[in-house]
Amino acid sequence: MPEYADNVEVGMVAKSIRGETVARILGVEREPATVVLTSDDGHIYQRKHPVKQDVMLTAELSVRQTTTGLTFKGRPLRQGSTVILAFGDVTIRATVVSL
């Protein structure tokens, strides 16, 4: 939803229960989400969604190196994994694209 995407800003900080910083937003890029439409005659078109946005975040995470690899908040961190970042009133469920 755009109202949520608009609330994500560079500099936002997520803290742990103990008050330690676990994530900091370093960059935010927004673009209209795409939607695939099929016309009545069967043609397929890709168009920009009039409301929804794709948001790409660059974040610095506090991670740990373990014998099995990197972890974030006790969970494995890999390309394709999901992380949850809580920034006060805004909670982000993000897919890791690159490390």
Side-chain angles (χ1 to χ4, degrees), residues 44-95:
I44 298 174
Y45 300 95
Q46 183 175 357
R47 299 286 187 254
K48 292 180 179 179
H49 194 281
V51 177
K52 293 184 180 180
Q53 298 179 24
D54 289 330
V55 180
M56 174 76 81
L57 302 176
T58 302
E60 179 178 75
L61 305 178
S62 177
V63 299
R64 291 184 187 222
Q65 178 69 48
T66 67
T67 56
T68 59
L70 293 176
T71 62
F72 175 68
K73 294 168 52 175
R75 296 193 164 160
L77 184 65
R78 304 181 181 87
Q79 188 174 350
S81 62
T82 301
V83 295
I84 297 176
L85 307 172
F87 299 98
D89 294 340
V90 178
T91 299
I92 300 169
R93 182 183 184 104
T95 302

Side-chain angles (χ1 to χ4, degrees), residues 11-24:
M12 292 176 74
V13 174
K15 303 255 183 195
S16 71
I17 294 171
R18 294 183 298 264
E20 301 163 339
T21 298
V22 295
R24 180 182 314 275

